[in-house]
Amino acid sequence: MQEVTYGPFDWPPADEEVRAALEQAYRDGSWGRYEGPQGTALAEELCDQFGCAHALLCSSGTIGVELALRGLGVEAGDEVVLAGYDFPGNFRAIEAVGARPVLVDVDSETWCLDAKQLAKVEDDAISAVIVSHLHGGLADMPRVMETAQQRGWHVVEDCCQQPGASLGGRPVGSWGDASVLSFGGSKLLTAGRGGSVLTDDPQVLQRMKIYADRGNQAFPLSELQAAVLRPQLRKLEERNRTRAKRVAEIRQATSGLAYFLRPIAGQAGAQAAYYKLAWSFVPAETQPELREQLLVRLQAAKAPIDGGFRGFASRGERRCRKHGGLSNSRQLSQSTILLHHPVLLAHEKAALQVALVLDDTIRQLVA
Ligand SMILES: Cc1ncc(COP(=O)(O)O)c(C=O)c1O
């Protein structure tokens, strides 16, 4: 079996500007401070880049989603719409504010919340919708926003996986009433941990600040974290371009596997960012054990490929309300495989080599 030899795929990459920021923080003592000019400057730069008026820095994307719900006034007893296939922390964030998730299926082309299904949801007590851009697919934000506005719902746009992506020429993060970024250790912008909530609404900002204030900031991002994020933000666009180029090469190299690998469909006017590159391993859509067998072989060959989210389709009715059968969510939870992004910025042959290993491994498995 072929093995990937270009690696390991370290993240974050060695970056002289990050080193300089760390050294500067050491010299000026800001590494020990709660708040200061680095955080203020980062918040302003995020507003510029993501086209919004306010950015609240916080301790993670998970906390960011919860703060966004609180900022939008979601309360105990409310319902919040969530895709049946999404990051598990988003389900928990809804529960954390005392609300109840209403699960809506994902679209089979974008793998994100299905805007057509959203328009059909029965509204018992819905106050908000969480919509995530996942795995290189982008949610149909114009339609999601149209439905939400018609029905008086707030929208949390989860951009944790896709900072720098755009839709119809507009940055993701500028569509929702509040939008969330993650600066977790594996993310495209990383400070080891951290996040941000973006909004145009000063009242949303104020509510989040009041909730987070416990005599001190309870969910902060430190000066040191802000300092290392700023140079990465400046490089985001260029790095996203390189990743997108590699993705196109991988897609081309795996196009002969169309019978076995179903990628997220290309979308008109969409410029994705790649934290993960996803396929549905088609044989696993009916035989889930085949995905596990594939992943074991891929990992043995050092390909940085893993399974996707478990999704919520089989969660009990006690914890959530379900709209329809959630068949796409169910299918993706058992068939998704995800290529992790660092390889996309590694040696230019590495991405192609991973594609060849994928090809080789699948052909052996299904032979
Ligand atoms: C879609 C999505 N939302 C939210 C998060 C949470 O971000 P964090 O790890 O910073 O809490 C993640 C993390 O992977 C994610 O993929």
Side-chain angles (χ1 to χ4, degrees):
M1 190 194 294
Q2 276 215 47
E3 231 188 50
V4 179
T5 54
Y6 293 98
F9 311 119
D10 290 329
W11 195 258
D15 187 329
E16 280 310 313
E17 286 183 56
V18 169
R19 185 212 291 265
L22 286 166
E23 282 172 358
Q24 177 66 28
Y26 183 77
R27 277 199 300 277
D28 64 18
S30 59
W31 62 275
R33 291 194 196 119
Y34 291 97
E35 287 175 355
Q38 295 291 345
T40 306
L42 175 65
E44 282 170 9
E45 287 157 9
L46 290 172
C47 289
D48 273 357
Q49 188 138 347
F50 290 88
C52 62
H54 311 284
L56 180 81
L57 304 178
C58 63
S59 54
S60 71
T62 304
I63 281 296
V65 172
E66 181 183 332
L67 287 174
L69 291 173
R70 293 188 188 279
L72 291 167
V74 176
E75 292 178 341
D78 288 358
E79 291 185 321
V80 176
V81 173
L82 180 69
Y85 177 87
D86 200 348
F87 176 67
N90 289 352
F91 194 101
R92 297 284 290 126
I94 296 169
E95 292 183 324
V97 304
R100 189 162 191 248
V102 176
L103 301 178
V104 170
D105 210 358
V106 289
D107 179 84
S108 60
E109 304 259 297
T110 65
W111 298 30
C112 299
L113 182 75
D114 186 337
K116 298 182 290 302
Q117 292 295 319
L118 180 69
K120 295 184 196 154
V121 174
E122 229 173 87
D123 186 355
D124 286 347
I126 294 172
S127 62
V129 178
I130 298 176
V131 55
S132 304
H133 303 292
L134 291 180
H135 310 341
L138 290 163
D140 183 350
M141 291 309 294
R143 240 169 139 164
V144 167
M145 295 310 293
E146 190 188 329
T147 299
Q149 273 153 16
Q150 278 167 4
R151 303 185 72 174
W153 304 334
H154 300 297
V155 174
V156 176
E157 186 184 6
D158 178 343
C159 310
C160 290
Q161 295 204 352
Q162 299 213 41
S166 66
L167 200 61
R170 237 175 103 169
V172 303
S174 68
W175 293 87
D177 300 304
S179 302
V180 183
L181 301 172
S182 164
F183 308 133
S186 64
K187 293 298 193 305
L188 301 182
L189 295 169
T190 181
R193 267 260 158 255
S196 181
V197 187
L198 314 172
T199 185
D200 283 339
D201 187 337
Q203 228 191 330
V204 171
L205 179 72
Q206 188 61 10
R207 281 203 207 100
M208 294 191 293
K209 280 186 171 170
I210 290 169
Y211 180 78
D213 184 358
R214 315 278 160 102
N216 205 333
Q217 293 304 312
F219 316 104
L221 186 95
S222 74
E223 272 293 272
L224 183 60
Q225 288 172 299
V228 298
L229 284 163
R230 294 182 61 207
Q232 295 177 68
L233 192 58
R234 291 194 284 274
K235 292 180 182 175
L236 181 65
E237 199 179 322
E238 183 202 326
R239 287 181 172 171
N240 275 347
R241 255 200 309 274
T242 305
R243 284 186 278 260
K245 191 160 172 272
R246 297 280 172 274
V247 165
E249 290 163 6
I250 293 175
R251 288 224 168 105
Q252 177 64 30
T254 52
S255 58
L257 289 171
Y259 189 71
F260 302 109
L261 288 181
R262 184 165 58 83
I264 291 175
Q267 293 159 262
Q271 194 71 56
Y274 292 95
Y275 166 62
K276 304 280 182 186
L277 171 62
W279 295 272
S280 172
F281 181 45
V282 177
E285 291 176 0
T286 45
Q287 288 176 276
E289 66 282 4
L290 288 178
R291 177 180 66 169
E292 307 322 312
Q293 290 171 24
L294 177 66
L295 290 176
V296 167
R297 288 173 186 230
L298 287 169
Q299 282 153 14
K302 301 197 175 78
I305 295 179
D306 245 310
F309 297 134
R310 292 179 66 179
F312 316 119
S314 51
R315 294 245 163 127
E317 304 277 340
R318 196 178 53 78
R319 288 180 76 185
C320 54
R321 174 158 76 89
K322 294 179 189 173
H323 173 78
L326 305 176
S327 58
N328 294 331
S329 304
R330 217 174 278 279
Q331 198 172 67
L332 292 184
S333 68
Q334 64 187 44
S335 67
T336 298
I337 63 169
L338 299 174
L339 175 69
H340 192 38
H341 69 90
V343 67
L344 303 173
L345 287 189
H347 191 292
E348 65 182 34
K349 290 192 179 151
L352 220 47
Q353 210 191 5
V354 169
L356 293 178
V357 167
L358 190 56
D359 186 295
D360 196 37
T361 311
I362 288 179
R363 288 184 197 284
Q364 284 184 30
L365 182 67
V366 297

